[in-house]
Amino acid sequence: MRLQPVAIDVRLFRRLIVSGDGAEVTRVASALSNGDLAEILLELAPAELSRLEQHLGVERIADAVAELDPSEAARLLVRVSRAEAADILEEMEPDDATDVVEELGEEAERILAEMEVTEASEIRDLLTYPSATAGGRMTPRFVSIRPDLTVGAAMRLLRAQAPDAETIYYIYVTDHEDHLVGVVSLRQLVVADPQQRIEALLRPDVIRVPAEIDQEDVARLLMDHDLLALPVVDEEERLLGVITADDVADVLQEEATEDIERLGGSQPLGEPYLQASPFLLFRKRIVWLLFLFLGALQTSTILQAFSDELSSFVALSFFIPLLVSTGGNAGSQVVTTVIRAMAVGEVRFRDVWVVLRRELLVGLLVGGVMGLATLLRAQTMHVDAHVAITAGLAATAIVVWATAVAALLPIGLRRLRLDPAVMSAPLIATLVDGTGLLIYLLIAKNVLGL
């Protein structure tokens, strides 16, 4: 396995392409992985792309283009002729090609018109499903056999279908109306008696997913059962396509990227960072910042409401940054842990009270330690003993409150069919800032008799 990309001078490679030395171009390109070649393709001019395709063949170019992000691949295809773009898409797996076509905009239909009818029809069928569903992720190129075939006949059919199929480890068994009735593995066929019938080998309890199910649920199901592929069916249980493990890897990367962006208080970009314009970055961030700004207004309102108390005990204000940041940090820890547990299927709505009890216990322990630390800090500042006690009690109460809020909100959002990742760390911090400050000042009012 090659761990490091092959270093290549793109300018020299471009001169080599222009020189017309096909043998040398092929030799140099053979040392490149598809990912390395894809990065080079982005640097080439349209004429150079056309010449490189002549030297390497459209299949190798298509394999490289498939390694690119769909938006990058689309920008590459619009730089070549429509006929060349169509040839490249025809050589790609239908699900990968569909992702690219979705990014082509108005040019998509013109390029599809240049493609072979069968390949174009596959892509158009996939385009009817939302991209984030099983139907949008599946490939229609799979191997299926009838239950009344013998193993020997099935193996002959498999050899004929395998070159065009994305995976052959699972062979799905369908009836004459394409209803999914079972599955056999390639290993079963290899070791079975050639005269044995498929119906005697198949497993009828096939894990399957409807075309409309969300891609994240598909990924979780495939991982939970350690499968290499999942069949996708319609409302009448007719087999439409399959989703493979490599598709799931892409899904998990996309979902993780979106969750990380949301946890940072930004909407998902939907394209590579370096390809995003400054205006797109602005649009993705400003909405969240304005929302968080509105939430933070409660802090100034609370401070204004307790201005008399703060003026009486100025030392109270010394601990405001410490307390609100401690509460925000505690909430961020919990919300990150809970969202991650939900993402991998460890926590569901039925577990809400279990999660709350656990986090309240942890919150009491953590809050107690933070309260003691705050009390010790107050003593080193030589403030009034009652103010020190107030700050210590407030630290404990705020941490417990923050952990409870952070434990409940993501689970509640999932119940409402909203993405729990929107309960990002900045939002939790904003909520805890205002409510934590209120807790602190209410405790101060009672302890200090204000």
Side-chain angles (χ1 to χ4, degrees), residues 132 144 156 173 292-293 300 324-325 367 409 427:
S144 65
R156 289 192 293 273
V173 184
L292 295 174
F293 174 79
S300 57
V324 296
S325 64
L409 282 175
L427 182 53

mmCIF file of all heavy atoms in Angstrom, residues 132 144 156 173 292-293 300 324-325 367 409 427:
data_model
loop_
_atom_site.group_PDB
_atom_site.id
_atom_site.type_symbol
_atom_site.label_atom_id
_atom_site.label_comp_id
_atom_site.label_asym_id
_atom_site.label_seq_id
_atom_site.Cartn_x
_atom_site.Cartn_y
_atom_site.Cartn_z
ATOM 1 N N ALA A 132 -30.122 12.566 -0.436
ATOM 2 C CA ALA A 132 -29.748 12.098 0.907
ATOM 3 C C ALA A 132 -30.552 10.882 1.348
ATOM 4 O O ALA A 132 -30.596 10.564 2.529
ATOM 5 C CB ALA A 132 -29.913 13.216 1.924
ATOM 6 N N SER A 144 -28.828 -10.258 -9.765
ATOM 7 C CA SER A 144 -30.012 -10.929 -9.231
ATOM 8 C C SER A 144 -30.277 -12.198 -10.032
ATOM 9 O O SER A 144 -29.970 -12.265 -11.234
ATOM 10 C CB SER A 144 -31.234 -10.013 -9.285
ATOM 11 O OG SER A 144 -31.581 -9.709 -10.631
ATOM 12 N N ARG A 156 -23.129 -19.305 -14.116
ATOM 13 C CA ARG A 156 -22.943 -18.832 -15.494
ATOM 14 C C ARG A 156 -23.537 -17.441 -15.670
ATOM 15 O O ARG A 156 -22.939 -16.570 -16.319
ATOM 16 C CB ARG A 156 -23.578 -19.827 -16.481
ATOM 17 C CG ARG A 156 -22.829 -21.157 -16.603
ATOM 18 C CD ARG A 156 -23.328 -21.971 -17.784
ATOM 19 N NE ARG A 156 -24.707 -22.418 -17.592
ATOM 20 C CZ ARG A 156 -25.055 -23.546 -16.965
ATOM 21 N NH1 ARG A 156 -24.107 -24.331 -16.437
ATOM 22 N NH2 ARG A 156 -26.318 -23.895 -16.846
ATOM 23 N N VAL A 173 -31.991 -12.731 -4.742
ATOM 24 C CA VAL A 173 -32.915 -13.635 -5.427
ATOM 25 C C VAL A 173 -34.260 -12.934 -5.556
ATOM 26 O O VAL A 173 -34.829 -12.469 -4.560
ATOM 27 C CB VAL A 173 -33.080 -14.950 -4.639
ATOM 28 C CG1 VAL A 173 -33.963 -15.926 -5.420
ATOM 29 C CG2 VAL A 173 -31.712 -15.575 -4.348
ATOM 30 N N LEU A 292 -27.647 33.560 17.553
ATOM 31 C CA LEU A 292 -26.946 33.515 18.834
ATOM 32 C C LEU A 292 -26.887 34.897 19.475
ATOM 33 O O LEU A 292 -26.940 35.032 20.696
ATOM 34 C CB LEU A 292 -25.535 32.947 18.642
ATOM 35 C CG LEU A 292 -25.458 31.486 18.179
ATOM 36 C CD1 LEU A 292 -24.019 31.096 17.876
ATOM 37 C CD2 LEU A 292 -26.048 30.550 19.230
ATOM 38 N N PHE A 293 -26.784 35.921 18.625
ATOM 39 C CA PHE A 293 -26.766 37.297 19.141
ATOM 40 C C PHE A 293 -28.085 37.621 19.847
ATOM 41 O O PHE A 293 -28.096 38.192 20.936
ATOM 42 C CB PHE A 293 -26.524 38.272 17.991
ATOM 43 C CG PHE A 293 -26.632 39.725 18.377
ATOM 44 C CD1 PHE A 293 -25.580 40.358 19.029
ATOM 45 C CD2 PHE A 293 -27.776 40.448 18.102
ATOM 46 C CE1 PHE A 293 -25.683 41.703 19.390
ATOM 47 C CE2 PHE A 293 -27.893 41.772 18.462
ATOM 48 C CZ PHE A 293 -26.835 42.410 19.107
ATOM 49 N N SER A 300 -27.635 40.768 28.804
ATOM 50 C CA SER A 300 -27.635 42.199 29.142
ATOM 51 C C SER A 300 -28.926 42.601 29.829
ATOM 52 O O SER A 300 -28.926 43.469 30.715
ATOM 53 C CB SER A 300 -27.422 43.031 27.872
ATOM 54 O OG SER A 300 -28.423 42.741 26.908
ATOM 55 N N VAL A 324 -20.278 31.892 33.954
ATOM 56 C CA VAL A 324 -20.991 31.614 32.694
ATOM 57 C C VAL A 324 -20.132 30.766 31.753
ATOM 58 O O VAL A 324 -20.646 29.918 31.013
ATOM 59 C CB VAL A 324 -21.444 32.917 32.012
ATOM 60 C CG1 VAL A 324 -22.445 33.643 32.876
ATOM 61 C CG2 VAL A 324 -20.268 33.817 31.670
ATOM 62 N N SER A 325 -18.818 30.978 31.756
ATOM 63 C CA SER A 325 -17.959 30.161 30.897
ATOM 64 C C SER A 325 -17.890 28.733 31.411
ATOM 65 O O SER A 325 -17.867 27.775 30.620
ATOM 66 C CB SER A 325 -16.554 30.764 30.816
ATOM 67 O OG SER A 325 -15.915 30.749 32.083
ATOM 68 N N GLY A 367 -20.118 19.672 39.345
ATOM 69 C CA GLY A 367 -20.495 20.954 39.916
ATOM 70 C C GLY A 367 -19.932 21.154 41.315
ATOM 71 O O GLY A 367 -19.515 22.269 41.674
ATOM 72 N N LEU A 409 -32.011 18.620 25.429
ATOM 73 C CA LEU A 409 -32.338 19.312 24.187
ATOM 74 C C LEU A 409 -32.048 18.495 22.922
ATOM 75 O O LEU A 409 -32.898 18.433 22.031
ATOM 76 C CB LEU A 409 -31.618 20.657 24.135
ATOM 77 C CG LEU A 409 -32.269 21.752 24.986
ATOM 78 C CD1 LEU A 409 -31.428 23.018 24.971
ATOM 79 C CD2 LEU A 409 -33.676 22.057 24.514
ATOM 80 N N LEU A 427 -24.728 27.419 20.780
ATOM 81 C CA LEU A 427 -26.102 27.650 21.214
ATOM 82 C C LEU A 427 -26.273 27.271 22.678
ATOM 83 O O LEU A 427 -26.934 27.977 23.450
ATOM 84 C CB LEU A 427 -27.074 26.860 20.342
ATOM 85 C CG LEU A 427 -28.565 27.035 20.659
ATOM 86 C CD1 LEU A 427 -28.934 28.505 20.662
ATOM 87 C CD2 LEU A 427 -29.400 26.269 19.673
#
